């Protein structure tokens, strides 16, 4: 059992979180651990829980929280009643705060003894135990009482680690990190003096002089003089001395860092996070069909982290027509395999099928912020992609790009094989290397009926099998349409399914009766129409009015008075937009509409080409 305070307060058994309750329970645990080996008095614990005005039930609630912690901890610790409070006993190596202090003291001893490389290693190991702001998830009363002291401990160790790295000759590499640290903590004179030394060693004396002048202005503004650390650094600067350091070679410095040089800039920009990003939206609760595709998707995600880098997959590409369930399948696979991505999941809806697609540069801003880069330190657009890939290097992160186009995806691909990308979109994006393509079709009639039953009740569908079959057929076995129909049926429990079919699923504009805030079948399907150029739109409208189950290039040529080759090219662009289906035939490719695409486009054609629409409607009524 591990006890953690340096970040989110938590218990972990075998590196898995152990439930201990809410904020109050975490506060009691953290308060006890902060006084490890000493008595935490009842009055102090109550003050950390409720402040200066505890409720009348506080005396009874505190023992309840203690009992819950004893059950959660089991034999991993002892919480002993010792008047006037409680004492907790845990293995010091299992409490990150005590381990941090032990490593820090060990590093200071090495530094005082002249073992600079060992000191840098131990101090860096101590700092690595911090997972974000200490005491995350406890009451404000405890944070106010204890976090500042812990943060001071961390900064002191950080300054000692910088001191060791300066002694090892890492001056040029330290300058960017110290610049950022000083921006976060401008009053810390030791950091300022260290930055002056790193700049001076790097031949940047003028900048070091400016750093000192800024420190002097800050000191004078508070009514004080620059401290001895700052004045000593300034005297060294003015005397032209190079200061301390044994000029450790770059190879030894890189070994001490324990990570490749490109990560240095990312590390100094990324602020500590309370935990890895977990941005995946919830997957649909009811998921039916596409079982083989789901298995393939999960297998692709499971391959991350294994084998040689050159053979690891880049990710998954799920394509298909609007409403077919691309996002639902991809989210289900991602949630089922998310434990394989312990460094987090990033998500962006790129709106690639609509008329207002997201700019990848803006998405990079959101991703970088999720990875710890503040708005104040956000690099210019041309550098964001490099920083994004650097931050992902060595991490196992799942990047989910929803409703995307190939142009949007390319700048957002991770640069290293440890992270994977999941892409959903309508176009097949065949030139994206390394992505397993899964092209989804509609559900079978049985699967669509099963989905409807799960949404409105199996008994209701079983009582009216004919009406159920009619609903599934009219909805074209499209998951989005089945869900939209189910939402309207659920809103009218007093309707039989047969009456619902007659009331809502007949007439030329029945789809418009299925509109809702999140389930608008016509709007979803026609979002692809809005992105077409006018010749392609006109071709689609005219084809919808021909009232043919099978379309050939000659039909498109006749509809727009075009050469057959030009008509076929336009029809292929409609296939790419997933508004027509291509069907191989003996004498070349033929095309057809999905039932709901035809319904939607015909409504648009009737409005935008009224003369042709009236003629076609007459033919349809006659048929």
């Amino acid at each position: 059992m591990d006890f953690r305070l340096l970040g989110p307060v938590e218990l972990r058994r075998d590196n898995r979180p152990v439930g201990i309750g809410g904020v109050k329970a975490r506060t009691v645990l953290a308060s006890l651990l902060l006084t490890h080996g000493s008595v935490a008095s009842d009055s102090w614990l109550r003050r950390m829980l409720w402040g200066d005005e505890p409720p009348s039930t506080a005396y009874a609630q505190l023992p309840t929280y203690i009992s819950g912690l004893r059950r959660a901890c089991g034999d991993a610790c002892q919480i002993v009643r010792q008047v006037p409070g409680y004492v907790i006993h845990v293995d010091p190596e299992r409490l990150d705060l005590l381990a941090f202090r032990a490593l820090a003291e060990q590093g200071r001893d090495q530094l005082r003894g002249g073992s600079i490389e060992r000191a840098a290693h131990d101090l860096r190991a101590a700092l690595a135990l911090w997972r974000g702001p200490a005491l995350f998830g406890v009451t404000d009363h405890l944070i106010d009482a204890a976090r500042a002291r812990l943060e001071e401990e961390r900064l002191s160790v950080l300054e000692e680690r910088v001191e060791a790295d300066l002694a090892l000759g890492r001056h040029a590499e330290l300058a960017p990190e110290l610049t950022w640290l000083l921006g976060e903590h401008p009053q810390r004179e030791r950091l300022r003096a260290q930055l002056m030394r790193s700049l001076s060693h790097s031949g940047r004396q003028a900048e070091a002089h400016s750093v000192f002048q800024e420190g002097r202005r800050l000191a004078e503004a508070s009514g004080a003089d620059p401290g001895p650390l700052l004045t000593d650094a300034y005297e060294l600067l003015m005397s032209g001395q190079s200061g301390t350091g044994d000029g450790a070679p770059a190879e030894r410095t890189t070994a001490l860092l324990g990570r490749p040089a490109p990560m240095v800039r990312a590390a100094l920009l990324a602020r500590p996070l309370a935990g890895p990003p977990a941005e995946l939206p919830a997957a649909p609760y009811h998921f039916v069909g596409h079982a083989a595709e789901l298995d393939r998707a999960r297998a692709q995600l499971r391959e991350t982290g294994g084998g040689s880098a050159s053979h690891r997959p880049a990710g998954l590409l799920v394509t298909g027509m609007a409403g077919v369930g691309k996002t639902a399948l991809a989210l289900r696979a991602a949630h089922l395999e998310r434990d394989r991505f312990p460094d987090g999941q990033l998500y962006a809806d790129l709106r690639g099928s609509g008329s207002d697609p997201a700019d990848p540069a803006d998405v990079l801003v959101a991703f970088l912020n999720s990875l710890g880069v503040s708005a104040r330190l956000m690099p210019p657009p041309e550098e964001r992609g490099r920083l994004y890939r650097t931050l992902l290097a060595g991490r196992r992160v799942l990047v989910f790009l929803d409703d995307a186009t190939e142009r949007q995806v390319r700048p957002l691909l991770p640069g290293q094989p440890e992270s994977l990308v999941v892409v959903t979109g309508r176009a097949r994006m065949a030139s994206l290397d390394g992505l397993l393509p899964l092209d989804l079709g509609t559900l079978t009639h049985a699967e669509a009926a099963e989905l409807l039953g799960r949404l409105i009740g199996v008994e209701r569908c079983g009582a009216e099998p004919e009406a159920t079959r009619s609903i599934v057929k009219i909805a074209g076995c499209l998951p989005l349409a089945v869900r939209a129909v189910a939402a309207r049926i659920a809103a009218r429990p007093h309707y039989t399914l047969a009456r619902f079919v007659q009331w809502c699923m007949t007439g030329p504009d029945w789809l418009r009766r299925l509109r809702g805030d999140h389930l608008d079948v016509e709007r979803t399907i026609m979002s692809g129409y809005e992105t077409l150029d006018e010749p392609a739109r006109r071709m689609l409208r005219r084809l919808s009015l021909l009232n043919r189950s099978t379309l050939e290039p000659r039909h498109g040529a006749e509809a727009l008075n075009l050469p057959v080759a030009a008509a076929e090219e336009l029809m292929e662009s409609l296939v790419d937009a997933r508004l027509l289906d291509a069907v191989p035939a003996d004498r070349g490719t033929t095309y057809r509409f999905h039932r709901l695409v035809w319904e939607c486009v015909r409504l648009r054609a009737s409005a935008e080409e009224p003369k042709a629409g009236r003629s076609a409607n007459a033919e349809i009524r006659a048929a």
Side-chain angles (χ1 to χ4, degrees):
M1 181 85 75
D2 291 314
F3 298 79
R4 298 187 176 185
L5 298 177
L6 305 181
V9 173
E10 59 181 3
L11 295 180
R12 297 186 76 87
R13 187 186 296 276
D14 298 329
N15 206 30
R16 294 181 177 274
V18 176
I20 58 175
V23 171
K24 293 290 196 297
R26 289 195 296 272
T27 299
V28 174
L29 175 63
S31 300
L32 292 171
L33 292 172
L34 286 170
T35 57
H36 178 261
S38 301
V39 177
S41 69
D42 293 348
S43 60
W44 186 73
L45 290 171
R46 287 194 293 269
R47 191 164 66 252
M48 295 304 100
L49 285 168
W50 295 287
D52 293 329
E53 297 180 2
S56 59
T57 58
Y59 290 85
Q61 289 188 59
L62 180 56
T64 301
Y65 290 129
I66 294 292
S67 297
L69 290 175
R70 284 170 173 157
R71 288 193 300 272
C73 295
D75 58 1
C77 75
Q78 286 184 315
I79 302 177
V80 181
R81 177 65 176 169
Q82 186 171 326
V83 178
Y86 297 88
V87 178
I88 191 170
H89 298 284
V90 302
D91 182 350
E93 294 181 358
R94 293 297 183 181
L95 175 54
D96 60 358
L97 176 59
L98 298 182
F100 164 77
R101 289 170 175 168
L103 281 168
E105 188 56 33
Q106 184 175 301
R108 291 190 182 103
D109 289 341
Q110 299 287 354
L111 196 59
R112 286 189 290 265
S115 301
I116 309 300
E117 291 185 0
R118 289 290 306 276
H121 177 274
D122 291 341
L123 294 169
R124 195 175 301 281
L127 292 167
L129 294 174
W130 285 72
R131 297 165 291 114
L135 304 177
F136 186 87
V138 302
T139 63
D140 290 342
H141 310 298
L142 181 57
I143 288 174
D144 292 342
R147 179 178 282 176
R149 175 169 60 84
L150 295 177
E151 180 63 9
E152 176 61 30
E153 287 190 57
R154 186 187 72 86
L155 287 173
S156 296
V157 174
L158 180 60
E159 289 170 342
E160 298 286 354
R161 191 228 81 204
V162 170
E163 200 66 39
D165 286 338
L166 283 170
L168 289 168
R170 293 189 55 241
H171 309 103
E173 294 179 29
L174 281 169
E177 179 183 6
L178 285 167
T179 300
W180 178 74
L181 286 171
L182 191 59
E184 294 291 312
H185 308 283
Q187 301 291 344
R188 296 190 74 88
E189 286 197 348
R190 188 175 188 183
L191 287 176
R192 190 173 297 277
Q194 289 171 331
L195 176 57
M196 291 172 60
R197 288 164 56 192
S198 71
L199 291 172
S200 177
H201 281 289
S202 305
R204 299 161 65 180
Q205 281 76 13
E207 293 173 69
H209 189 275
S210 297
V211 170
F212 172 78
Q213 295 300 336
E214 181 186 2
R216 183 167 64 179
R217 284 193 297 271
L218 287 173
E220 291 173 350
S222 62
D225 293 324
L229 284 173
L230 203 55
T231 53
D232 287 348
Y234 186 67
E235 288 175 5
L236 283 173
L237 173 66
M238 297 305 293
S239 67
Q241 296 182 42
S242 60
T244 60
D246 63 3
E251 294 81 11
R252 186 164 56 180
T253 298
T254 301
L256 284 170
L257 281 170
R259 58 190 176 198
M263 285 295 288
V264 174
R265 183 168 184 270
L268 66 93
L269 285 176
R271 64 184 183 275
L273 297 174
E279 300 179 353
L280 289 178
Y285 183 76
H286 296 292
F287 182 84
V288 174
H290 298 137
E293 291 87 349
L294 179 61
D295 288 343
R296 292 180 64 199
R298 294 188 64 185
Q300 183 79 346
L301 298 184
R302 281 196 294 269
E303 289 187 31
T304 182
S308 66
S310 60
H311 292 91
R312 293 179 194 166
L316 180 67
L317 172 63
V318 185
T319 58
M321 68 173 289
V324 80
K326 304 179 292 295
T327 301
L329 180 137
L331 280 176
R332 188 165 181 84
H335 276 287
L336 289 170
E337 303 297 335
R338 64 184 174 186
D339 288 347
R340 299 181 181 276
F341 303 93
D343 297 314
Q345 308 94 41
L346 300 172
Y347 173 85
D349 180 0
L350 299 181
R351 308 186 304 277
S353 62
S355 56
D356 181 30
D359 187 335
D362 294 335
V363 176
L364 281 172
V365 170
F367 281 177
L368 289 173
N369 189 258
S370 297
L371 294 169
V373 180
S374 67
R376 184 174 61 84
L377 295 171
M378 192 63 61
E382 63 273 13
E383 294 184 16
R384 291 172 191 165
R386 291 195 293 272
L387 179 56
Y388 164 70
R389 291 186 290 274
T390 299
L391 282 172
L392 290 185
R395 297 186 182 183
R396 293 172 64 180
V397 174
L398 183 66
V399 181
F400 196 114
L401 305 176
D402 199 14
D403 192 13
T405 65
E406 184 173 333
R407 180 192 65 82
Q408 294 172 304
V409 168
R410 287 194 176 278
L412 302 174
L413 291 173
Q416 300 291 329
E418 291 85 1
S419 293
L420 261 69
V421 63
V422 172
V423 181
T424 73
R426 298 186 187 178
R428 289 184 170 87
M429 300 182 239
S431 63
L432 288 178
D433 295 334
L435 300 183
L436 173 71
L438 293 179
D439 196 64
L440 300 188
T442 57
L443 301 175
T444 65
H445 282 76
E447 290 169 342
E450 180 185 353
L451 177 59
L452 183 65
R454 291 192 184 185
L455 294 169
I456 68 171
V458 175
E459 298 82 2
R460 199 170 178 185
C461 289
E464 297 184 75
E466 289 299 326
T468 297
R469 281 191 286 272
S470 295
I471 290 172
V472 165
K473 180 179 179 181
I474 297 171
C477 295
L478 192 68
L480 175 68
V482 173
R483 290 180 181 276
V485 171
R488 294 304 297 270
I489 292 173
R492 283 168 173 74
H494 51 287
Y495 275 28
T496 64
L497 298 189
R499 184 183 177 194
F500 182 85
V501 171
Q502 185 177 11
W503 169 74
C504 192
M505 303 186 74
T506 56
D509 60 348
W510 69 271
L511 272 175
R512 291 180 178 172
R513 299 174 196 158
L514 297 181
R515 286 178 176 168
D517 291 339
H518 304 292
L519 294 169
D520 189 329
V521 178
E522 182 186 10
R523 183 178 63 191
T524 301
I525 289 175
M526 293 305 287
S527 61
Y529 174 87
E530 305 300 339
T531 65
L532 300 173
D533 56 27
E534 184 51 35
R537 292 186 190 185
R538 188 180 303 115
M539 172 65 80
L540 193 65
R541 294 195 300 266
R542 295 290 176 85
L543 291 176
S544 74
L545 297 172
L546 293 180
N547 194 35
R548 298 184 61 90
S549 60
T550 300
L551 298 162
E552 299 176 12
R554 63 184 179 86
H555 298 130
E558 294 167 0
L560 290 186
N561 194 25
L562 290 174
V564 172
E568 185 171 10
E569 185 174 348
L570 277 177
M571 295 171 81
E572 284 295 324
S573 72
L574 297 175
V575 172
D576 293 338
R578 311 312 287 258
L579 292 167
L580 273 185
D581 294 328
V583 183
D586 294 338
R587 293 183 299 172
T589 304
T590 61
Y591 305 89
R592 66 185 177 198
F593 280 102
H594 181 274
R595 175 188 176 86
L596 296 186
V597 176
W598 175 77
E599 293 266 14
C600 292
V601 176
R602 184 177 59 80
L603 286 172
R604 186 65 61 91
S606 298
E608 296 183 9
E609 303 199 25
K611 183 176 180 180
R614 285 193 298 270
S615 174
N617 285 336
E619 291 182 20
I620 293 169
R621 284 194 298 271

